[in-house]
Each structure stands twice: as C-alpha cells, then as structure tokens.
Amino acid sequence: MRSVWQVVLSVTPITVALFLLAALALALGLALWSARAPHRRARTAAGVLLAGWLLLMLVVTLTPTQPIGSGDATIWWRPGEGLLDLGAQLEPGEVEMLVRRQIADTALFVPLPLLLRFAAPRWSAAGAFLLGVGLCVAIEAGQLLMRAGRVADIDDVLCAAAGTVLGAALALLAKLLATVLLRRARPGRVVRTAAAAAPEEV
C-alpha cells in the first residue's frame, strides 16, 4: 500500500504529461508495427501488455488495507463526496493529495482501451469504453463486499470513464499519426506503382 501512495505523491503536471506521452508513443509503436507487419505478433504483444496491466490494476485496487471483513461497507454515491465533504475538514495539503489520487485513478484506466484497440482491433471505441467502466464498477463492488478498509466511490467510476475515453483517443491519434508517417515514408513506392499500372490502362 505504501508503494501506491508513493505513486500518488509523484503525480505532478510534468509526470502526467510524461505518462501521456509515453502512452502515445506506445500506441504509435504498436500502430506502426501492425501496419508494417499485419500478422499476429503485434496483437500478441498488445495482448500480453494488456493482461499485465489488468493484473496490476487488480492488485492496486483490490489489495486489502486491513483484514477482510473487519471494515465497514462504505459507499459514496454523490460525485465529489469523497473530495468536497472530506475537504471541508482537511488541510489544503490533504485536499491536494485527494486530487492527486483521482488523477492517478484516471491514469490507471488509460492503457486499458489503448492496448485493447491493438490486441483486439474488432473492438469498437464504445465497447472499450463500456469495458473500462464495467471493470471499474466490478472493482468498486468487490471493494464494497470485501470490507477491507476501502471505500466504493462513484468518483472512481467517473475517473475510470475519463481515463477510458482518454486512452481510446490516444489510440485513435496514434493510428492517424501512423497512417501519415507511412504515407510520407513510401511516396516513391506509390509513384512507381502508379507508373507501372499506367501502360496497362492504355
């Protein structure tokens, strides 16, 4: 649990920007790999990364902070309840910590749709979004049933939705960039192909 809070403490505008750039670079690499070698290797690599990230998500979100069954089954239904209601009683530094935690929760779901779009290209953006939100709802339900020191919070679901949308957008952007880069890298091939086809048309 200490390592999780170390990650939260490291959330700054710079680290968030670096994380998003790294996610975009990963998506661009997978997009170029898939376009140049349309076999299953790129899909397999994306699938392995996706499985590893899912495992990390489950460890981070479901690891008990106290013995299972020893806590209360607490759920916050109102958006911002965990931030605003507690914020009235907390110091500014502690409010900042809660905001950082929500940013980290959002970032946790960014790689999910990003990797899914390359591991299973037939999945639509809407399907990836529903999967991300559904997974978060299942995690919150698990936290509620475990009663192990964690709170089921609607804000986590909203953060997951935002992270899922962001991840899908990065995957789409990477595919567009890959298309542009490949077109610029092969202009001669396109010209030669057109020239070779011209006599046949005549």
Side-chain angles (χ1 to χ4, degrees):
M1 188 63 185
R2 181 180 301 177
S3 61
V4 175
W5 283 108
Q6 288 175 348
V7 172
V8 173
L9 287 172
S10 67
V11 173
T12 64
I14 294 178
T15 56
V16 171
L18 291 176
F19 173 79
L20 294 178
L21 287 175
L24 179 59
L26 174 61
L28 181 58
L30 289 172
L32 290 172
W33 189 8
S34 300
R36 292 182 176 180
H39 302 291
R40 294 186 177 181
R41 292 184 179 180
R43 294 184 183 182
T44 301
V48 171
L49 291 174
L50 178 61
W53 191 261
L54 284 172
L55 179 61
L56 175 64
M57 291 176 61
L58 294 177
V59 171
V60 169
T61 56
L62 294 179
T63 299
T65 60
Q66 64 187 56
I68 296 177
S70 62
D72 296 329
T74 305
I75 182 170
W76 290 337
W77 286 103
R78 291 180 299 169
E81 183 176 359
L83 177 62
L84 300 178
D85 289 359
L86 288 178
Q89 304 174 5
L90 297 177
E91 298 295 329
E94 294 174 315
V95 175
E96 180 183 357
M97 182 69 69
L98 289 175
V99 173
R100 289 185 177 187
R101 185 183 68 82
Q102 291 187 341
I103 295 175
D105 289 343
T106 302
L108 186 64
F109 281 84
V110 169
L112 179 63
L114 188 151
L115 294 172
L116 181 63
R117 295 305 302 275
F118 294 101
R122 294 184 179 180
W123 274 71
S124 63
F129 174 79
L130 293 176
L131 176 64
V133 174
L135 177 61
C136 184
V137 171
I139 289 174
E140 296 302 309
Q143 292 176 348
L144 184 66
L145 295 175
M146 288 172 62
R147 294 187 296 128
R150 293 180 177 270
V151 176
D153 191 353
I154 188 63
D155 287 345
D156 292 343
V157 180
L158 297 178
C159 289
T164 303
V165 170
L166 185 55
L170 288 175
L172 177 60
L173 177 60
K175 290 183 177 182
L176 293 176
L177 289 175
T179 301
V180 172
L181 291 174
L182 290 174
R183 285 179 179 176
R184 290 183 177 181
R186 301 177 181 176
R189 181 177 179 181
V190 174
V191 172
R192 288 193 299 269
T193 302
E200 297 179 2
E201 295 177 358
V202 175

